[in-house]
Short mmCIF file of all heavy atoms in Angstrom, two decimals:
data_model
loop_
_atom_site.label_atom_id
_atom_site.label_comp_id
_atom_site.label_asym_id
_atom_site.label_seq_id
_atom_site.Cartn_x
_atom_site.Cartn_y
_atom_site.Cartn_z
N HIS Q 1 24.48 -81.73 -47.28
CA HIS Q 1 24.80 -80.60 -48.15
C HIS Q 1 26.21 -80.50 -48.50
O HIS Q 1 26.60 -80.33 -49.65
CB HIS Q 1 24.34 -79.31 -47.48
CG HIS Q 1 24.40 -78.11 -48.34
ND1 HIS Q 1 25.55 -77.36 -48.43
CD2 HIS Q 1 23.49 -77.63 -49.17
CE1 HIS Q 1 25.30 -76.36 -49.28
NE2 HIS Q 1 24.09 -76.51 -49.79
N THR Q 2 27.14 -80.85 -47.53
CA THR Q 2 28.58 -80.79 -47.84
C THR Q 2 28.99 -81.85 -48.74
O THR Q 2 29.73 -81.68 -49.71
CB THR Q 2 29.34 -80.94 -46.51
OG1 THR Q 2 28.92 -79.84 -45.59
CG2 THR Q 2 30.83 -80.81 -46.72
N GLN Q 3 28.46 -83.10 -48.53
CA GLN Q 3 28.83 -84.16 -49.43
C GLN Q 3 28.28 -84.01 -50.83
O GLN Q 3 28.90 -84.36 -51.83
CB GLN Q 3 28.31 -85.52 -48.80
CG GLN Q 3 29.09 -85.95 -47.62
CD GLN Q 3 30.54 -86.26 -47.94
OE1 GLN Q 3 30.94 -86.78 -48.88
NE2 GLN Q 3 31.36 -85.76 -47.01
N ALA Q 4 27.06 -83.49 -50.96
CA ALA Q 4 26.42 -83.25 -52.27
C ALA Q 4 27.32 -82.22 -53.03
O ALA Q 4 27.43 -82.28 -54.25
CB ALA Q 4 25.01 -82.81 -52.10
N LYS Q 5 27.82 -81.24 -52.31
CA LYS Q 5 28.55 -80.19 -52.92
C LYS Q 5 29.88 -80.76 -53.51
O LYS Q 5 30.35 -80.36 -54.54
CB LYS Q 5 28.86 -79.06 -51.91
CG LYS Q 5 29.60 -77.87 -52.51
CD LYS Q 5 29.60 -76.65 -51.57
CE LYS Q 5 29.96 -77.07 -50.15
NZ LYS Q 5 30.16 -75.91 -49.22
N HIS Q 6 30.48 -81.67 -52.77
CA HIS Q 6 31.75 -82.32 -53.27
C HIS Q 6 31.55 -83.37 -54.31
O HIS Q 6 32.44 -83.52 -55.14
CB HIS Q 6 32.56 -82.84 -52.06
CG HIS Q 6 33.03 -81.80 -51.09
ND1 HIS Q 6 33.94 -80.79 -51.50
CD2 HIS Q 6 32.77 -81.50 -49.83
CE1 HIS Q 6 34.24 -80.01 -50.49
NE2 HIS Q 6 33.48 -80.45 -49.43
N VAL Q 7 30.49 -84.10 -54.18
CA VAL Q 7 30.28 -85.31 -55.03
C VAL Q 7 29.66 -84.92 -56.33
O VAL Q 7 30.17 -85.32 -57.44
CB VAL Q 7 29.51 -86.41 -54.29
CG1 VAL Q 7 29.14 -87.49 -55.27
CG2 VAL Q 7 30.25 -86.87 -53.11
N ALA Q 8 28.58 -84.25 -56.30
CA ALA Q 8 27.77 -83.94 -57.51
C ALA Q 8 28.32 -82.72 -58.21
O ALA Q 8 28.89 -81.81 -57.66
CB ALA Q 8 26.31 -83.75 -57.16
N ARG Q 9 28.21 -82.73 -59.55
CA ARG Q 9 28.69 -81.59 -60.35
C ARG Q 9 27.46 -80.84 -60.94
O ARG Q 9 26.47 -81.36 -61.26
CB ARG Q 9 29.54 -82.17 -61.50
CG ARG Q 9 30.69 -82.79 -61.06
CD ARG Q 9 31.57 -83.27 -62.21
NE ARG Q 9 32.68 -84.01 -61.73
CZ ARG Q 9 33.15 -85.15 -62.26
NH1 ARG Q 9 32.53 -85.66 -63.31
NH2 ARG Q 9 34.17 -85.78 -61.80
N HIS Q 10 27.67 -79.54 -60.97
CA HIS Q 10 26.74 -78.63 -61.53
C HIS Q 10 25.35 -78.78 -60.97
O HIS Q 10 25.22 -78.58 -59.76
CB HIS Q 10 26.78 -78.74 -63.07
CG HIS Q 10 28.09 -78.69 -63.63
ND1 HIS Q 10 28.89 -77.48 -63.59
CD2 HIS Q 10 28.90 -79.58 -64.30
CE1 HIS Q 10 30.04 -77.69 -64.18
NE2 HIS Q 10 30.05 -78.92 -64.68
N GLY Q 11 24.30 -79.01 -61.72
CA GLY Q 11 22.99 -79.05 -61.23
C GLY Q 11 22.51 -80.32 -60.56
O GLY Q 11 21.48 -80.48 -60.08
N ARG Q 12 23.44 -81.34 -60.54
CA ARG Q 12 23.06 -82.60 -59.98
C ARG Q 12 23.17 -82.59 -58.44
O ARG Q 12 22.67 -83.53 -57.80
CB ARG Q 12 24.04 -83.68 -60.45
CG ARG Q 12 23.88 -83.85 -61.96
CD ARG Q 12 24.61 -85.08 -62.46
NE ARG Q 12 24.16 -86.26 -61.66
CZ ARG Q 12 24.10 -87.48 -62.15
NH1 ARG Q 12 24.29 -87.65 -63.36
NH2 ARG Q 12 23.74 -88.40 -61.36
N ARG Q 13 23.74 -81.55 -57.86
CA ARG Q 13 23.81 -81.46 -56.43
C ARG Q 13 22.41 -81.52 -55.80
O ARG Q 13 22.16 -82.15 -54.84
CB ARG Q 13 24.54 -80.24 -56.03
CG ARG Q 13 24.47 -80.01 -54.47
CD ARG Q 13 25.33 -78.87 -54.04
NE ARG Q 13 24.90 -77.61 -54.58
CZ ARG Q 13 25.35 -76.46 -54.12
NH1 ARG Q 13 26.22 -76.43 -53.15
NH2 ARG Q 13 24.86 -75.33 -54.62
N TRP Q 14 21.45 -80.76 -56.40
CA TRP Q 14 20.10 -80.75 -55.88
C TRP Q 14 19.39 -82.16 -56.01
O TRP Q 14 18.54 -82.44 -55.26
CB TRP Q 14 19.30 -79.67 -56.55
CG TRP Q 14 19.98 -78.31 -56.24
CD1 TRP Q 14 20.59 -77.48 -57.17
CD2 TRP Q 14 20.12 -77.69 -55.01
NE1 TRP Q 14 21.19 -76.39 -56.50
CE2 TRP Q 14 20.85 -76.51 -55.14
CE3 TRP Q 14 19.73 -78.02 -53.70
CZ2 TRP Q 14 21.18 -75.67 -54.14
CZ3 TRP Q 14 20.04 -77.18 -52.67
CH2 TRP Q 14 20.79 -76.01 -52.84
N MET Q 15 19.82 -82.86 -57.06
CA MET Q 15 19.20 -84.20 -57.24
C MET Q 15 19.66 -85.12 -56.05
O MET Q 15 18.86 -85.90 -55.55
CB MET Q 15 19.60 -84.77 -58.57
CG MET Q 15 18.94 -86.10 -58.92
SD MET Q 15 19.46 -86.76 -60.51
CE MET Q 15 18.90 -85.40 -61.60
N VAL Q 16 20.98 -84.98 -55.75
CA VAL Q 16 21.43 -85.85 -54.62
C VAL Q 16 20.74 -85.41 -53.32
O VAL Q 16 20.36 -86.30 -52.57
CB VAL Q 16 23.04 -85.62 -54.50
CG1 VAL Q 16 23.52 -86.28 -53.25
CG2 VAL Q 16 23.68 -86.26 -55.71
N LEU Q 17 20.57 -84.10 -53.14
CA LEU Q 17 19.93 -83.66 -51.90
C LEU Q 17 18.45 -84.14 -51.91
O LEU Q 17 17.94 -84.47 -50.84
CB LEU Q 17 20.02 -82.17 -51.80
CG LEU Q 17 21.35 -81.62 -51.36
CD1 LEU Q 17 21.36 -80.11 -51.43
CD2 LEU Q 17 21.75 -82.08 -50.00
N ALA Q 18 17.80 -84.12 -53.07
CA ALA Q 18 16.40 -84.53 -53.12
C ALA Q 18 16.27 -86.00 -52.86
O ALA Q 18 15.18 -86.41 -52.46
CB ALA Q 18 15.77 -84.16 -54.54
N LEU Q 19 17.26 -86.76 -53.09
CA LEU Q 19 17.20 -88.22 -52.78
C LEU Q 19 17.41 -88.53 -51.30
O LEU Q 19 16.76 -89.40 -50.75
CB LEU Q 19 18.17 -88.99 -53.59
CG LEU Q 19 17.89 -89.01 -55.13
CD1 LEU Q 19 19.03 -89.63 -55.87
CD2 LEU Q 19 16.61 -89.80 -55.34
N TRP Q 20 18.34 -87.86 -50.62
CA TRP Q 20 18.79 -88.23 -49.33
C TRP Q 20 18.15 -87.40 -48.25
O TRP Q 20 17.98 -87.89 -47.09
CB TRP Q 20 20.31 -88.09 -49.20
CG TRP Q 20 20.97 -89.16 -49.95
CD1 TRP Q 20 21.59 -89.12 -51.11
CD2 TRP Q 20 21.09 -90.56 -49.54
NE1 TRP Q 20 22.09 -90.30 -51.51
CE2 TRP Q 20 21.79 -91.22 -50.52
CE3 TRP Q 20 20.66 -91.26 -48.38
CZ2 TRP Q 20 22.07 -92.55 -50.43
CZ3 TRP Q 20 20.93 -92.65 -48.36
CH2 TRP Q 20 21.68 -93.32 -49.36
N THR Q 21 17.61 -86.19 -48.52
CA THR Q 21 17.02 -85.35 -47.49
C THR Q 21 15.75 -85.91 -46.94
O THR Q 21 15.51 -85.98 -45.79
CB THR Q 21 16.88 -83.89 -48.03
OG1 THR Q 21 18.09 -83.39 -48.38
CG2 THR Q 21 16.23 -83.05 -47.01
N PRO Q 22 14.88 -86.50 -47.83
CA PRO Q 22 13.65 -87.10 -47.26
C PRO Q 22 13.97 -88.29 -46.37
O PRO Q 22 13.20 -88.53 -45.38
CB PRO Q 22 12.89 -87.52 -48.55
CG PRO Q 22 13.34 -86.66 -49.65
CD PRO Q 22 14.86 -86.40 -49.26
N LEU Q 23 15.03 -89.05 -46.67
CA LEU Q 23 15.35 -90.11 -45.81
C LEU Q 23 15.82 -89.60 -44.40
O LEU Q 23 15.38 -90.17 -43.43
CB LEU Q 23 16.52 -90.96 -46.36
CG LEU Q 23 17.05 -92.11 -45.51
CD1 LEU Q 23 15.95 -93.19 -45.40
CD2 LEU Q 23 18.34 -92.65 -46.20
N ALA Q 24 16.64 -88.54 -44.34
CA ALA Q 24 17.04 -88.01 -43.11
C ALA Q 24 15.83 -87.48 -42.28
O ALA Q 24 15.71 -87.72 -41.09
CB ALA Q 24 18.07 -86.88 -43.27
N ILE Q 25 14.93 -86.77 -43.01
CA ILE Q 25 13.80 -86.23 -42.31
C ILE Q 25 12.80 -87.33 -41.86
O ILE Q 25 12.30 -87.30 -40.78
CB ILE Q 25 13.06 -85.24 -43.21
CG1 ILE Q 25 13.99 -84.00 -43.39
CG2 ILE Q 25 11.74 -84.82 -42.70
CD1 ILE Q 25 13.46 -83.01 -44.42
N GLY Q 26 12.71 -88.36 -42.72
CA GLY Q 26 11.85 -89.50 -42.35
C GLY Q 26 12.37 -90.23 -41.08
O GLY Q 26 11.61 -90.65 -40.20
N LEU Q 27 13.70 -90.42 -41.02
CA LEU Q 27 14.28 -91.08 -39.83
C LEU Q 27 14.12 -90.21 -38.58
O LEU Q 27 13.94 -90.73 -37.47
CB LEU Q 27 15.79 -91.39 -40.07
CG LEU Q 27 16.02 -92.50 -41.00
CD1 LEU Q 27 17.48 -92.60 -41.37
CD2 LEU Q 27 15.55 -93.82 -40.55
N TYR Q 28 14.18 -88.87 -38.76
CA TYR Q 28 13.96 -87.96 -37.62
C TYR Q 28 12.52 -88.14 -37.14
O TYR Q 28 12.31 -88.28 -35.90
CB TYR Q 28 14.22 -86.60 -38.07
CG TYR Q 28 13.72 -85.52 -37.12
CD1 TYR Q 28 14.46 -85.20 -35.96
CD2 TYR Q 28 12.55 -84.84 -37.35
CE1 TYR Q 28 13.99 -84.19 -35.02
CE2 TYR Q 28 12.03 -83.88 -36.48
CZ TYR Q 28 12.81 -83.63 -35.32
OH TYR Q 28 12.32 -82.67 -34.43
N CYS Q 29 11.57 -88.14 -38.08
CA CYS Q 29 10.14 -88.27 -37.67
C CYS Q 29 9.87 -89.61 -37.02
O CYS Q 29 9.16 -89.62 -36.02
CB CYS Q 29 9.31 -88.11 -38.90
SG CYS Q 29 9.28 -86.41 -39.58
N LEU Q 30 10.53 -90.64 -37.47
CA LEU Q 30 10.46 -91.99 -36.89
C LEU Q 30 11.03 -91.98 -35.48
O LEU Q 30 10.40 -92.55 -34.55
CB LEU Q 30 11.13 -93.07 -37.73
CG LEU Q 30 10.99 -94.45 -37.27
CD1 LEU Q 30 9.54 -94.94 -37.34
CD2 LEU Q 30 11.91 -95.41 -38.16
N GLY Q 31 12.14 -91.29 -35.26
CA GLY Q 31 12.73 -91.22 -33.97
C GLY Q 31 11.90 -90.42 -32.96
O GLY Q 31 11.73 -90.88 -31.79
N VAL Q 32 11.28 -89.32 -33.44
CA VAL Q 32 10.33 -88.56 -32.57
C VAL Q 32 9.18 -89.47 -32.18
O VAL Q 32 8.68 -89.47 -31.04
CB VAL Q 32 9.94 -87.30 -33.25
CG1 VAL Q 32 8.78 -86.62 -32.48
CG2 VAL Q 32 11.06 -86.32 -33.39
N TRP Q 33 8.62 -90.13 -33.19
CA TRP Q 33 7.38 -90.99 -32.91
C TRP Q 33 7.74 -92.12 -31.99
O TRP Q 33 6.96 -92.34 -31.04
CB TRP Q 33 6.88 -91.59 -34.25
CG TRP Q 33 5.72 -92.48 -34.06
CD1 TRP Q 33 4.49 -92.08 -33.80
CD2 TRP Q 33 5.70 -93.91 -34.21
NE1 TRP Q 33 3.63 -93.21 -33.74
CE2 TRP Q 33 4.44 -94.37 -34.00
CE3 TRP Q 33 6.76 -94.83 -34.46
CZ2 TRP Q 33 4.07 -95.69 -33.96
CZ3 TRP Q 33 6.43 -96.19 -34.52
CH2 TRP Q 33 5.05 -96.60 -34.26
N ILE Q 34 8.82 -92.74 -32.13
CA ILE Q 34 9.26 -93.82 -31.16
C ILE Q 34 9.46 -93.23 -29.82
O ILE Q 34 9.02 -93.85 -28.81
CB ILE Q 34 10.45 -94.58 -31.67
CG1 ILE Q 34 10.13 -95.35 -32.89
CG2 ILE Q 34 11.11 -95.44 -30.62
CD1 ILE Q 34 11.30 -96.00 -33.65
N MET Q 35 10.10 -92.10 -29.69
CA MET Q 35 10.44 -91.46 -28.37
C MET Q 35 9.19 -91.14 -27.61
O MET Q 35 9.10 -91.13 -26.44
CB MET Q 35 11.32 -90.24 -28.54
CG MET Q 35 11.89 -89.79 -27.25
SD MET Q 35 12.43 -88.20 -27.38
CE MET Q 35 10.88 -87.31 -27.53
N LEU Q 36 8.16 -90.67 -28.42
CA LEU Q 36 6.89 -90.25 -27.72
C LEU Q 36 5.95 -91.33 -27.44
O LEU Q 36 4.85 -91.00 -26.87
CB LEU Q 36 6.28 -89.19 -28.55
CG LEU Q 36 7.06 -87.86 -28.70
CD1 LEU Q 36 6.33 -86.85 -29.62
CD2 LEU Q 36 7.29 -87.25 -27.34
#
């Protein structure tokens, strides 16, 4: 969120978040699956 606020301008911030947030959540889910 912090990087998207500094890098993207105007309405593009949500586009940056929409691209990278699923990757972070996917890696989290993968980590939980591997740990269990």
Side-chain angles (χ1 to χ4, degrees):
H1 188 269
T2 304
Q3 289 299 316
K5 187 169 43 174
H6 291 298
V7 172
R9 295 183 185 137
H10 306 295
R12 295 188 56 141
R13 174 171 64 166
W14 300 110
M15 187 181 299
V16 171
L17 286 174
L19 290 173
W20 289 101
T21 301
L23 177 66
I25 293 172
L27 288 172
Y28 167 78
C29 292
L30 184 65
V32 169
W33 178 72
I34 289 172
M35 192 201 68
L36 294 177

